[in-house]
Amino acid sequence: MEKKKLRILICEDEGLTVLRLQKELDSLGYTVVGEAKDGLEAVKLAKELCPDVILMDIKMPKLDGIAATTEIMATQPTAIIMLTAYSQEDFVEKVIAAGASAYLLKPVNSGQLLPTIELAAHKFVEFQGIRSEAENLKEALEVRKLIERAKGILM
């Protein structure tokens, strides 16, 4: 069975980095569906394009990557890989809280991109399945409680 070609949105304000990422992604067989140069555009394009994976720079104009990730995860959850030149602990904590799937330090190369993208996309799909299953179980439990209460009233 053929592997699904992942659709990727690049959110990065540095033109040279965007070109480098696009070239790497193309060589790895991914489809780049769009490019955002600031956080507000990233949120807008995430909603419009529904990518499988988003590569998100942390430091961007108008809305930083962490705030954009938080907003995307609240409205259009997807696998988001944060890209940054910074590895401070507070950044990592903020990225985790925002809901990102992975964190890569720049400069990024294809040796890092391939496993990170594949793992982030796979784990995100797996997590969404678990979340859906938990919601279904929660619903079933509520129904069961109502049935038990009704039985108690009838008895």
Side-chain angles (χ1 to χ4, degrees):
M1 189 163 109
E2 190 177 315
K3 183 176 86 168
K4 181 186 174 204
K5 193 171 185 179
L6 294 175
R7 301 170 67 251
I8 299 178
L9 172 63
I10 299 172
C11 303
E12 167 67 57
D13 61 327
E14 272 186 46
L16 201 56
T17 303
V18 171
L19 288 174
R20 201 174 317 118
L21 283 170
Q22 191 163 26
K23 185 178 176 187
E24 294 279 354
L25 293 167
D26 286 342
S27 73
L28 292 169
Y30 298 116
T31 302
V32 175
V33 294
E35 300 166 13
K37 290 173 180 52
D38 62 65
L40 292 177
E41 188 178 14
V43 172
K44 179 179 171 262
L45 288 178
K47 288 177 187 173
E48 288 175 10
L49 302 173
C50 301
D52 299 308
V53 176
I54 297 174
L55 298 179
M56 177 80 70
D57 186 18
I58 288 182
K59 299 254 183 181
M60 287 197 300
K62 296 184 183 175
L63 186 67
D64 70 41
I66 293 171
T69 296
T70 302
E71 196 168 325
I72 291 167
M73 293 305 287
T75 59
Q76 184 75 31
T78 192
I80 299 177
I81 300 169
M82 303 303 289
L83 305 175
T84 184
Y86 309 96
S87 62
Q88 291 99 332
E89 193 174 325
D90 64 320
F91 274 128
V92 177
E93 290 170 4
K94 288 176 184 176
V95 165
I96 291 168
S101 301
Y103 189 101
L104 281 176
L105 291 175
K106 293 179 189 175
V108 178
N109 61 48
S110 58
Q112 296 170 300
L113 277 175
L114 179 69
T116 304
I117 289 171
E118 291 298 323
L119 187 60
H122 178 77
K123 289 295 180 187
F124 183 79
V125 168
E126 198 173 79
F127 179 72
Q128 290 299 93
I130 291 169
R131 176 181 275 165
S132 176
E133 189 177 327
E135 285 297 317
N136 291 341
L137 290 171
K138 187 177 175 184
E139 213 173 275
L141 181 61
E142 290 303 315
V143 169
R144 179 72 182 201
K145 285 180 186 177
L146 284 173
I147 291 170
E148 291 301 321
R149 223 177 282 140
K151 276 181 169 175
I153 291 170
L154 287 174
M155 297 218 162

